[in-house]
Amino acid sequence: MATSPVLRLDSVSCWFGSVAALSSVNLAIAAGERVALVGPSGAGKSTLLSLLNGSLMPTEGEVWVLARSLNKLSGQSRRKLQRQIGTVYQQHNLVANLSVIHNVNAGHLGRWPLWKAVVSLIWPQQVLVAQQALTQLGLGDKLYARTERLSGGQQQRVALARVMVQNPAIVLADEPVASVDPARSHNVMQLLCDSVRQLGQDRTLVVSLHDVALAKAYCDRIIGLRQGQIQFDLPSAAVGEQQLTRLYALEDAA
Amino acid sequence: MQFYALCRRSVISGLCGFAFLFLGGCGAVDSGDGSSEGTDAAADTAADVSTASVEPLSIGAIPDQDPEMLQRLYSRLVDYLSAELGVPVEYEPVTDYAAAVTAFKVGDLDLVWFGGLTGVQARLQVPGAQAIVQRDIDESFHSIFIANTASGLEPIDDISGLKSLMGKTFTFGSESSTSGRLMPQFFLKEAGVALTDFKGEPGFSASHDATLKLVEAGSFDAGVVNEQVWLDRVAAGEVDEGKVLAIWQTPPYYNYYWLVNADKLNAEYGEGFTDKVQTALLNLNASDPQQAEILELFGAEKFIETENDNYAEIEAIGREIGKINE
Amino acid sequence: MLSDLPTSDPLDPQRVKSLDALPDSTRSHRRRLAVGLWIALVIWALWLSGLGRSPLINWAGLPLMGQFWAAMLRPDLTPEFVGMMARAAVTTLAFAVCGTVLSLGVGFVTGIFCSLVWWRVFWPGRSGRIVWLGLRGLLVIPRAIHELIWGLLLLGVLGLDPIVGVLAIAIPFGAITGKVFSEILDETPTGPLDALVNSGVNPGIAFLYGLLPQALPNLISYGFYRFECSLRSAAVLGVIGAGGVGYQIFLSLQSLRYEQLWTGFYVLIVLNGAVDFWSGWLRRQMGFVGRLDLAKGRETSQPLTNDTFKQKGRLVWLAWGAIALAVPLCFAYLEIDWSRWGRVRSLLAEMAAQVTPDRVLPQFSWSLLPLSLQTMAMSVLAITLAGLGGIVFSFPAAQNFFLPGGLLRSAGESRRWSVGHGAMLLARLLLLGARAIPAPIFALVILYGMFPSILPGALALGLHNFGILGRLMAEVNENLPDGPVRALRSLGASAGSLVFYGILPANLARFLAYGLYRWEVCLRETVIVGLVGAGGLGRLLTEQLSGFDYSGLAATLSVFIALTMLVDAISGWMRSAAR
């Protein structure tokens, strides 16, 4: 079992109208890997992550998560599988008007029955779990603050806490450092990696990044995407100038 | 030529209506003889009779029974009156008692078919207004108290029996209806029943038919309706007599009549015009098929004379109950 | 009363800022207080209605109610009657158009004079603010009085003429529009205005150049919504000689011709549906997200730039052309006799003679208090029912939830016709029917199956307003930013959890704002459901109107106005607490 990949794409293509966001992508990621997706804007990084968490369906091909085909499932079984994937979004996608505790507790929603979810809105459940996650991220005192009143960085950490509470097998992160200054971006990546490690050594992280240096520093495998295709898929150490120049080359130079 | 004009108008109105649905225009000029169009039709007919420069005689009515027949009733009557009187006549649709009284007061209605109370209200506000004609049945009109069979109320022999309504829910008809409110309230008072003696507040169903149905439904234990409506609905089989029964017929009183703004009309169309109107109405004859239809629609065998003094009692009761504040 | 439109509150920047300054604990304290107060109000209203102390449902009357609903399937479709209804529909439409145009005109002017920013520019300081407060207070008077009562009052002054129907819409709706427009003006960024004023430009011109162009598109957007309201109102006004569908419906109602009634309802449903659809389409074409984009704040609405106009192209221009054509046509169609203004003064003086202090003051009595409480209770129950129903139905009625690919569907489903489509269609039809059918008719039908109390009245008003709120709330849902909800869904949350963790938290404040705005409307509408045997002040008003007791009427109306002010104040406070 250890050898079967947790994430697998079988010749996946994804079209938006007449534009191919991804074409015939094959990919396998094993448990415990930390993978960075790099590439220029519009290369298909976000599309790939959306396919992996099931918010997008491929036009062709199949997406396998934990050895089950995501696009063949629906309803309850699909949700059950989705619980195993946590996502940190670029826009955080938190519910602004809820207090922090509820946004963190939203990580439980895949497991909680509806009544418990509703009750928790009035009497927050599993406060300790949320408290612990927030404390680790340095937000222990913001448990009952309104989410919309936190700073962008704080909101990102709430989103991270939501993922930790969700406790998934796979964590996806979409451009977590896109709007953060260089000094802070190390901080964010460190938190992200620490959080995933905290969950367990077998947890997988897939993160899309612009900054290859960051990718090399925090991930053990880098996938270069360009125009919807995988340009290279190498261990971090093996990625050099040559690959990067080709990856980021402007259109006419390519 | 006329036909052509008519076609063109309908085409315009059709196009405009169409344009509205898609673009937000609004239906436009339309010919026809529908609701307010009844007026047009009347004016058209009248134009044949008299010159267009004469202000039309405006007639109106407060619908109290079978009001959806108003349209038919009044276009017949408009035709008849304009032919008889030699002036254009138009019918103004008003369905609210207070609105009709107000319209009469400000001079927008010249000849109105009023109920007893509303007629007095209108007459007191217009100097020289005269009650001229009423139906044969209006001389001794009755209201019928009705009750739901499950309410335990029984038919009563005399007015004091109304006391059995105490502690029951009760509904009147329209607030200013003579037969559905004023006279019943008066008789209740005579019997020593105050409005506060009912269970809860009395309802005001707005029409006799609604009263009938609400009592039949049992929502109210009892109610009161105009006798004409009651008999009519019973005859038509529209009343479930297993559920609603008549418990008492009131003593007779004067009701509906034609009230005319005599001073205004005499000034406008010449002295004696009011008499002409009265004669025209009195002349309605059941042997003429057209006129018979008018009489039938009014539910009358014939029209008879009446006068202001006949309504002194209603006026007194109206003041007592607070419906007349002049 | 944004019956209209939550502009004022949800986006009032000042208010938002001042609230943001409050610590969280104070805010949640206030919110808890507001919720507690509302629950207390509802319990009190239910107690007053006699719930639990007397039988509620009249089982024996249900068959009669059934007769009404059965007629739904067999409306009167005889050609003459349908033709009559179609012509009546044109009349109703003409009234709605004329009423809307006038009310927008009135609203534009009063809106400017009732905006704080106007007084701030023209009369800075305390005294300007006091004048502003006074004007805002005066604006309650026309709003508090129902269109039907305006109609009857105007009839006494202007006589039997279509102008009465038009003004009966234009006066109260003009005041409502004025209130909303003044709020729009006050929320418009004042940077450009201040820049002009500070550079020595005449304040009037500065206003014209710096503020109005920014605010006008919002007024236009709101105007379309007003048009929908005017249409519903025109349908009720038929009774006072205004003709149209309302007149036909009330004739049929009096003799209980259910088949004819339903023909009328279908005409109103088609008319309302067409107008709603068209106004929604045009607004979207002009770059407004919905009626509610005012509520959402300016970030979502794009002002009418030349670019958007060019893009949306000819259809929009054509629509504007049609409007420009339709307005004079409608005025011409109604054949308004403008010469009637000549006699207004004498008739008004006659009416005013009865309304002198020495005649009115004795009319105030403690007996007005229980009636006021009844009215209040009925409005509270009505708006609670309408709000709860509206929230529930706003989900299936919104396009973005249950349709395939919607937020509450899992992504793996097929995209063909589905239960979601059916549910949306059904929910929308139900809402449309509820708002198209006038409340007094609901009141009569409900009364067949219930015993008289304020409850049938509240139910009837609740049902009608539910149709309006449900639609507004569905639009709120449709404009929900979907990121957070999709995020929750992709972590495997069920549809139910999405509602409670993603959608309601984001939209509830807006739902409440709509509901609270609508509360004032429910209060005013209690006047038209007086037949339920517990009509409160509304019943007294109709009694006084039918007895031409103007001094009594004046007293009752003042109480009604005071009640409206109270409701206005409570709802304002609650809306700010709900944020």
Side-chain angles (χ1 to χ4, degrees):
Chain A
M1 273 316 273
T3 49
S4 85
V6 290
L7 291 170
R8 201 173 94 218
L9 264 58
D10 273 354
S11 53
V12 164
S13 299
C14 199
W15 292 74
F16 294 115
S18 59
V19 183
L22 285 179
S23 40
S24 320
V25 171
N26 287 295
L27 179 67
I29 296 172
E33 274 195 280
R34 278 179 296 170
V35 181
L37 296 174
V38 296
S41 305
K45 301 190 295 286
S46 294
T47 309
L48 188 57
L49 288 174
S50 302
L51 285 171
L52 290 177
N53 76 6
S55 55
L56 198 65
M57 302 295 285
T59 319
E60 280 165 28
E62 263 181 275
V63 179
W64 295 82
V65 175
L66 300 173
R68 302 187 67 183
S69 170
L70 194 57
N71 38 334
K72 287 214 178 113
L73 296 173
S74 66
Q76 189 69 32
S77 45
R78 180 190 175 85
R79 285 208 301 271
K80 216 167 169 179
L81 188 57
Q82 282 184 312
R83 274 171 222 164
Q84 294 303 321
I85 314 160
T87 312
V88 181
Y89 297 85
Q90 198 179 340
Q91 310 296 336
H92 317 316
N93 284 355
L94 299 170
V95 183
N97 325 35
L98 282 182
S99 34
V100 168
I101 172 83
H102 298 305
N103 267 307
V104 175
N105 270 351
H108 292 297
L109 286 183
R111 291 183 294 268
W112 279 358
L114 181 59
W115 66 265
K116 193 169 180 185
V118 174
V119 166
S120 177
L121 282 175
I122 303 158
W123 295 283
Q125 306 288 303
Q126 306 198 3
V127 181
L128 275 179
V129 178
Q131 177 82 56
Q132 203 178 1
L134 285 169
T135 312
Q136 274 173 25
L137 295 164
L139 279 180
D141 58 330
K142 298 289 186 195
L143 200 56
Y144 293 101
R146 283 260 279 214
T147 309
E148 63 191 346
R149 299 173 65 195
L150 301 184
S151 71
Q154 287 173 326
Q155 290 195 15
Q156 191 175 40
R157 279 182 276 165
V158 173
L160 209 49
R162 177 166 75 182
V163 169
M164 289 187 71
V165 164
Q166 188 189 343
N167 191 12
I170 303 145
V171 174
L172 310 177
D174 190 7
E175 306 271 9
V177 294
S179 49
V180 177
D181 62 67
R184 187 112 6 123
S185 58
H186 276 279
N187 199 329
V188 170
M189 284 307 291
Q190 194 63 55
L191 269 178
L192 184 62
C193 293
D194 287 352
S195 304
V196 175
R197 200 167 295 132
Q198 191 93 34
L199 294 173
Q201 284 302 330
D202 57 339
R203 306 306 162 102
T204 311
L205 173 68
V206 182
V207 55
S208 68
L209 291 168
H210 268 298
D211 185 344
V212 184
L214 271 181
K216 290 178 84 160
Y218 291 95
C219 300
D220 31 50
R221 174 177 168 192
I222 299 180
I223 297 172
L225 273 176
R226 183 181 167 87
Q227 293 179 340
Q229 284 172 325
I230 294 183
Q231 188 123 24
F232 62 84
D233 182 351
L234 294 168
S236 300
V239 177
E241 270 314 305
Q242 189 201 349
Q243 284 90 356
L244 295 177
T245 322
R246 273 186 61 207
L247 188 67
Y248 285 102
L250 291 176
E251 202 66 20
D252 46 326
Chain B
M1 189 57 205
Q2 257 187 343
F3 175 72
Y4 171 72
L6 197 74
C7 286
R8 205 182 47 181
R9 277 155 93 194
S10 352
V11 169
I12 293 178
S13 82
L15 277 180
C16 289
F18 191 72
F20 167 76
L21 279 183
F22 292 93
L23 300 167
C26 147
V29 202
D30 115 16
S31 58
D33 42 18
S35 61
S36 65
E37 291 72 9
T39 342
D40 298 355
D44 285 351
T45 343
D48 300 335
V49 181
S50 173
T51 51
S53 62
V54 181
E55 275 287 302
L57 172 78
S58 296
I59 65 172
I62 289 171
D64 201 35
Q65 72 253 285
D66 248 349
E68 101 283 3
M69 276 205 262
L70 279 177
Q71 223 64 64
R72 203 144 59 94
L73 173 64
Y74 279 90
S75 61
R76 288 267 179 284
L77 188 67
V78 157
D79 290 349
Y80 172 79
L81 283 180
S82 55
E84 288 288 305
L85 302 173
V87 296
V89 178
E90 64 180 24
Y91 164 63
E92 297 277 359
V94 182
T95 69
D96 183 89
Y97 281 106
V101 172
T102 309
F104 186 81
K105 177 197 164 201
V106 299
D108 285 328
L109 290 175
D110 305 319
L111 175 65
V112 181
W113 178 244
F114 274 122
L117 170 64
T118 42
V120 175
Q121 285 177 332
R123 175 163 57 82
L124 292 177
Q125 303 194 47
V126 177
Q130 273 177 28
I132 49 170
V133 172
Q134 65 180 184
R135 299 172 302 185
D136 41 3
I137 54 170
D138 293 317
E139 242 181 338
S140 71
F141 206 89
H142 305 271
S143 299
I144 301 285
F145 280 80
I146 56 172
N148 187 283
T149 44
S151 68
L153 288 165
E154 299 285 339
I156 54 183
D157 305 326
D158 66 273
I159 187 165
S160 62
L162 288 177
K163 278 205 164 68
S164 61
L165 291 172
M166 288 179 169
K168 303 287 182 185
T169 52
F170 185 86
T171 183
F172 292 109
S174 169
E175 270 118 348
S176 37
S177 162
T178 306
S179 53
R181 195 268 169 98
L182 185 85
M183 294 311 289
Q185 188 174 338
F186 170 71
F187 292 121
L188 282 167
K189 199 174 171 196
E190 292 282 283
V193 182
L195 296 190
T196 47
D197 291 332
F198 295 123
K199 183 177 167 196
E201 293 169 37
F204 287 88
S205 73
S207 77
H208 297 294
D209 280 296
T211 303
L212 205 56
K213 287 293 166 187
L214 285 171
V215 174
E216 186 180 319
S219 299
F220 288 96
D221 293 326
V224 63
V225 294
N226 165 332
E227 182 178 43
Q228 194 193 4
V229 173
W230 168 255
L231 294 176
D232 199 61
R233 300 298 181 267
V234 169
E238 290 171 16
V239 176
D240 183 347
E241 291 183 83
K243 287 186 178 160
V244 58
L245 77 164
I247 57 170
W248 190 57
Q249 182 199 46
T250 64
Y253 52 87
Y254 283 100
N255 204 351
Y256 301 90
Y257 57 97
W258 285 104
L259 183 72
V260 63
N261 191 338
D263 289 1
K264 182 187 168 209
L265 292 192
N266 289 341
E268 210 161 290
Y269 305 111
E271 267 319 302
F273 186 82
T274 309
D275 297 335
K276 268 177 80 181
V277 173
Q278 187 178 31
T279 316
L281 287 170
L282 290 174
N283 280 348
L284 278 167
N285 192 331
S287 58
D288 177 298
Q290 289 261 323
Q291 297 175 25
E293 197 180 0
I294 297 176
L295 286 171
E296 197 193 320
L297 287 166
F298 268 97
E301 297 282 316
K302 61 176 177 164
F303 278 111
I304 58 171
E305 278 187 54
T306 190
E307 54 183 3
N308 291 351
D309 290 346
N310 288 345
Y311 306 93
E313 189 195 13
I314 287 190
E315 184 179 335
I317 296 169
R319 287 187 194 284
E320 207 177 309
I321 290 177
K323 298 307 291 180
I324 296 175
N325 296 288
E326 281 297 298
Chain C
M1 94 152 202
L2 226 24
S3 17
D4 313 338
L5 228 195
T7 35
S8 82
D9 188 60
L11 63 155
D12 183 340
Q14 281 96 354
R15 207 176 300 176
V16 178
K17 256 177 238 148
S18 67
L19 267 173
D20 280 345
L22 290 174
D24 273 354
S25 61
T26 315
R27 286 172 56 137
S28 69
H29 181 70
R30 276 183 64 172
R31 202 173 319 162
R32 238 171 284 150
L33 200 64
V35 171
L37 178 65
W38 192 263
I39 291 175
L41 269 175
V42 171
I43 291 174
W44 164 76
L46 284 173
W47 174 81
L48 200 72
S49 74
L51 191 71
R53 282 171 297 164
S54 53
L56 189 65
I57 307 287
N58 172 19
W59 299 104
L62 294 184
L64 279 139
M65 204 190 237
Q67 286 173 11
F68 170 83
W69 294 111
M72 185 171 156
L73 298 174
R74 42 188 170 80
D76 186 337
L77 294 177
T78 49
E80 306 90 76
F81 192 72
V82 173
M84 200 160 85
M85 273 295 180
R87 279 187 297 273
V90 176
T91 308
T92 299
L93 205 55
F95 271 105
V97 169
C98 298
T100 309
V101 169
L102 281 189
S103 65
L104 286 182
V106 171
F108 179 73
V109 177
T110 51
I112 290 178
F113 288 110
C114 290
S115 69
L116 186 57
V117 57
W118 172 269
W119 293 101
R120 193 172 60 79
V121 169
F122 275 85
W123 197 352
R126 258 181 87 87
S127 33
R129 225 187 138 82
I130 289 168
V131 175
W132 169 74
L133 270 176
L135 283 175
R136 293 279 308 225
L138 279 182
L139 214 52
V140 176
I141 298 172
R143 281 191 286 137
I145 301 173
H146 192 269
E147 298 97 273
L148 205 58
I149 293 181
W150 271 117
L152 288 171
L153 289 176
L154 287 166
L155 196 69
V157 185
L158 287 162
L160 211 51
D161 192 79
I163 185 67
V164 169
V166 173
L167 285 182
I169 297 175
I171 292 176
F173 285 15
I176 294 164
T177 311
K179 183 187 173 197
V180 170
F181 188 49
S182 72
E183 284 163 359
I184 293 175
L185 282 174
D186 284 337
E187 289 150 14
T188 304
T190 53
L193 176 72
D194 291 335
L196 287 177
V197 171
N198 293 338
S199 62
V201 175
N202 170 307
I205 295 172
F207 215 75
L208 196 64
Y209 277 75
L211 203 65
L212 286 185
Q214 291 188 76
L216 217 49
N218 288 301
L219 178 69
I220 293 171
S221 171
Y222 180 68
F224 287 111
Y225 175 62
R226 251 357 305 167
F227 181 38
E228 296 166 21
C229 297
S230 297
L231 188 66
R232 285 189 285 271
S233 188
V236 177
L237 281 173
V239 211
I240 50 159
V245 183
Y247 170 68
Q248 302 296 348
I249 282 184
F250 278 83
L251 285 187
S252 307
L253 178 69
Q254 286 220 305
S255 46
L256 303 181
R257 304 289 143 131
Y258 298 139
E259 289 82 7
Q260 294 185 353
L261 270 182
W262 275 101
T263 313
F265 296 161
Y266 288 128
V267 170
L268 282 184
I269 286 172
V270 169
L271 213 54
N272 271 286
V275 165
D276 290 5
F277 174 81
W278 168 79
S279 86
W281 174 82
L282 193 57
R283 261 182 333 214
R284 269 195 308 280
Q285 295 302 307
M286 298 190 325
F288 293 103
V289 189
R291 272 157 212 77
L292 98 146
D293 76 311
L294 293 179
K296 291 198 71 176
R298 223 119 285 163
E299 77 270 19
T300 54
S301 79
Q302 304 149 13
L304 281 173
T305 62
N306 279 335
D307 280 354
T308 35
F309 253 140
K310 269 179 208 146
Q311 276 167 18
K312 301 312 174 189
R314 249 169 287 163
L315 272 177
V316 172
W317 280 111
L318 221 56
W320 281 106
I323 293 173
L325 194 71
V327 170
L329 270 179
C330 287
F331 274 102
Y333 179 78
L334 291 181
E335 295 174 357
I336 290 170
D337 176 8
W338 298 101
S339 65
R340 283 172 184 271
W341 289 101
R343 59 189 200 189
V344 164
R345 257 178 69 187
S346 62
L347 286 169
L348 203 57
E350 215 172 292
M351 207 184 269
Q354 290 194 49
V355 194
T356 51
D358 59 313
R359 296 184 68 165
V360 176
L361 287 177
Q363 301 281 347
F364 287 99
S365 75
W366 287 111
S367 67
L368 289 173
L369 184 69
L371 295 179
S372 310
L373 294 179
Q374 257 185 9
T375 300
M376 187 75 159
M378 196 195 282
S379 73
V380 167
L381 290 179
I383 198 60
T384 307
L385 288 168
L388 291 177
I391 290 176
V392 171
F393 273 74
S394 71
F395 289 95
Q399 273 172 355
N400 53 338
F401 286 169
F402 286 112
L403 295 196
L407 292 175
L408 296 181
R409 299 296 292 266
S410 89
E413 279 164 298
S414 63
R415 299 196 163 240
R416 61 192 162 73
W417 244 76
S418 68
V419 184
H421 283 101
M424 184 177 85
L425 205 67
L426 199 69
R428 290 194 165 189
L429 263 179
L430 206 71
L431 291 171
L432 180 58
R435 66 177 179 272
I437 298 176
I441 290 165
F442 282 135
L444 176 66
V445 174
I446 290 171
L447 197 54
Y448 284 149
M450 290 180 82
F451 290 107
S453 78
I454 56 176
L455 274 178
L459 266 175
L461 286 179
L463 201 56
H464 180 68
N465 284 287
F466 146 77
I468 296 161
L469 280 180
R471 169 176 162 73
L472 290 173
M473 290 170 173
E475 269 184 3
V476 173
N477 281 341
E478 284 174 0
N479 293 330
L480 175 74
D482 62 355
V485 182
R486 291 204 184 272
L488 293 183
R489 203 187 62 185
S490 71
L491 64 81
S494 67
S497 316
L498 289 186
V499 168
F500 285 101
Y501 275 76
I503 299 166
L504 277 184
N507 286 347
L508 196 61
R510 227 161 266 144
F511 287 165
L512 292 180
Y514 274 120
L516 288 165
Y517 272 118
R518 200 73 208 168
W519 183 17
E520 187 187 300
V521 184
C522 279
L523 184 74
R524 192 176 56 205
E525 285 182 341
T526 55
V527 170
I528 56 174
V529 292
L531 73 122
V532 294
L537 285 179
R539 241 285 300 154
L540 182 63
L541 278 179
T542 41
E543 179 80 291
Q544 287 164 334
L545 272 167
S546 68
F548 304 93
D549 175 8
Y550 291 114
S551 38
L553 192 66
T556 313
L557 281 180
S558 349
V559 175
F560 216 92
I561 289 164
L563 215 53
T564 307
M565 285 177 173
L566 180 69
V567 162
D568 208 24
I570 299 178
S571 102
W573 176 78
M574 284 194 172
R575 270 179 284 130
S576 77
R579 280 198 57 89

